[in-house]
Amino acid sequence: MSETLIHVASGKVRELFTIDDDRLLLVASDRISTFDVVLPTEIPDKGRVLTGLSAFWFARTRDVCANHLLELRPDGGSTECRRLEMLPLECVVRGYLAGSGWKDYQRTGSTSGHALPRGLQESGRLPEPIFTPSTKATSGHDENIDSGRAMELVGRERYEEVEQTSLALYRFAAEHAAAHGILIADTKFEFGLDADGRLVLADEAFTPDSSRFWPADDYTPGGSQPSFDKQFVRDYCEALGWDKTPPGPELPEDVVAGTRARYLDAFERLTGIAFAEYLADPTVVT
Ligand code: Q0Z
């Protein structure tokens, strides 16, 4: 058996290859981005941590929604996935008010068509999680859209299905993570359809790259929160006075080591599995 991989897409820090008509290979690199710029310095094992976390969540949410994961490769940093017809929607769930949700709320009192109570604070917990879809921008930032616009993109029934599924996935993971000291402020899913038209969770799930993770211990609404994984990198970049345009700065050894430790800490807290165990046999998370 031999496989010729054809490169089909590049994300900021991941690569996608075709294996055959039915399967893709998703490779997570050790690259890290901050302020939307990929830095020249890698964080060793970051790709394995994120791949392992996704596989962990895919295994635990399979009764909530089917997912694209077929096989975790022995390297721990890449997965074989079912090839799907992707929906043209970024499915965002917010449990807390941060990022573009907070910006929308300050301007308009609502976000993605959800009228919110007055007096919410930055990073404040929402009365209940909300589904705030956005469009996939080919360049620049995704644009938040309301349910009417999202229904035009995928149809009303499919919209209602992705909304309910997204909320159920978020509730499950946010409750698990909070019990282990991590708040999932918000998260982004991508869904696709299989050959029978069934909804399938694709891409990555509840990784620190697709979600805002906050350390629960330090949670103080009324301002921005430190990021669980990238705060050392951001603090270092801010202290440098870098103007946040490419190229980004090289990271010093201590920032790399501290950031790597944060990724491993998130992995071990959320999975309850030692990262060394994962490296020895990635299937332990599934
Ligand atoms: C995901 C992306 C990239 C990572 C296409 N199971 C699937 N079936 C069909 N298409 C996709 C998937 Cl995951 C798909 N993306 C986004 C691009 C690295 C994710 F380069 N694009």
Side-chain angles (χ1 to χ4, degrees):
M1 192 189 81
S2 75
E3 290 172 337
T4 305
L5 299 177
I6 297 166
H7 186 245
V8 287
S10 293
K12 274 208 293 274
V13 301
R14 296 177 302 156
E15 308 288 340
L16 199 57
F17 301 88
T18 301
I19 299 171
D20 59 32
D21 287 352
D22 305 321
R23 294 179 300 164
L24 299 173
L25 183 71
L26 181 52
V27 181
S29 74
D30 290 341
R31 296 194 293 274
I32 186 168
S33 68
T34 190
F35 305 113
D36 277 329
V37 175
V38 178
L39 302 181
T41 312
E42 297 192 330
I43 307 299
D45 294 318
K46 173 175 178 280
R48 289 185 173 88
V49 166
L50 270 59
T51 299
L53 274 175
S54 269
F56 171 82
W57 291 115
F58 283 144
R60 271 146 199 84
T61 59
R62 47 184 300 185
D63 295 337
V64 180
C65 183
N67 62 69
H68 76 162
L69 179 61
L70 293 171
E71 192 168 287
L72 196 44
R73 292 231 161 160
D75 61 68
S78 59
T79 53
E80 284 184 28
C81 309
R82 275 199 280 167
R83 178 174 226 149
L84 305 166
E85 202 63 57
M86 299 300 287
L87 297 180
L89 210 58
E90 303 279 346
C91 293
V92 177
V93 178
R94 301 174 188 276
Y96 297 77
L97 206 44
S100 65
W102 168 243
K103 286 206 181 85
D104 291 346
Y105 174 73
Q106 280 180 293
R107 270 191 303 111
T108 68
S110 61
T111 184
S112 292
H114 296 270
L116 296 172
R118 292 176 195 282
L120 294 178
Q121 305 182 78
E122 181 177 10
S123 309
R125 188 174 178 168
L126 293 166
E128 55 185 338
I130 54 174
F131 182 61
T132 61
S134 59
T135 55
K136 296 180 189 183
T138 37
S139 66
H141 271 120
D142 298 344
E143 183 192 345
N144 289 341
I145 55 176
D146 65 16
S147 56
R149 178 78 191 103
M151 284 180 204
E152 287 172 11
L153 291 170
V154 300
R156 187 171 68 83
E157 283 189 32
R158 193 65 81 180
Y159 175 82
E160 279 162 7
E161 188 184 10
V162 294
E163 174 179 50
Q164 289 315 308
T165 303
S166 296
L167 289 168
L169 289 167
Y170 175 81
R171 286 181 200 282
F172 176 88
E175 186 179 328
H176 174 98
H180 294 85
I182 294 176
L183 302 181
I184 302 179
D186 50 42
T187 194
K188 180 173 81 181
F189 307 113
E190 293 197 35
F191 291 95
L193 305 181
D194 69 13
D196 301 316
R198 272 188 285 260
L199 189 69
V200 180
L201 179 61
D203 210 55
E204 56 184 338
F206 303 110
T207 68
D209 278 4
S210 66
S211 315
R212 267 194 191 84
F213 284 9
W214 294 336
D217 282 349
D218 307 336
Y219 174 61
T220 317
S224 68
Q225 304 301 296
S227 154
F228 194 97
D229 50 306
K230 290 183 180 171
Q231 201 57 43
F232 293 151
V233 174
R234 291 188 188 149
D235 291 350
Y236 175 77
C237 290
E238 296 281 12
L240 266 186
W242 167 52
D243 67 3
K244 297 169 191 171
T245 64
E250 305 257 10
L251 300 175
E253 232 171 59
D254 61 317
V255 173
V256 171
T259 302
R260 179 175 181 276
R262 301 294 296 225
Y263 281 110
L264 267 54
D265 184 35
F267 177 94
E268 294 188 341
R269 284 207 219 183
L270 290 170
T271 67
I273 296 165
F275 187 62
E277 297 292 316
Y278 176 72
L279 292 183
D281 174 14
T283 63
V284 292
V285 296
T286 61

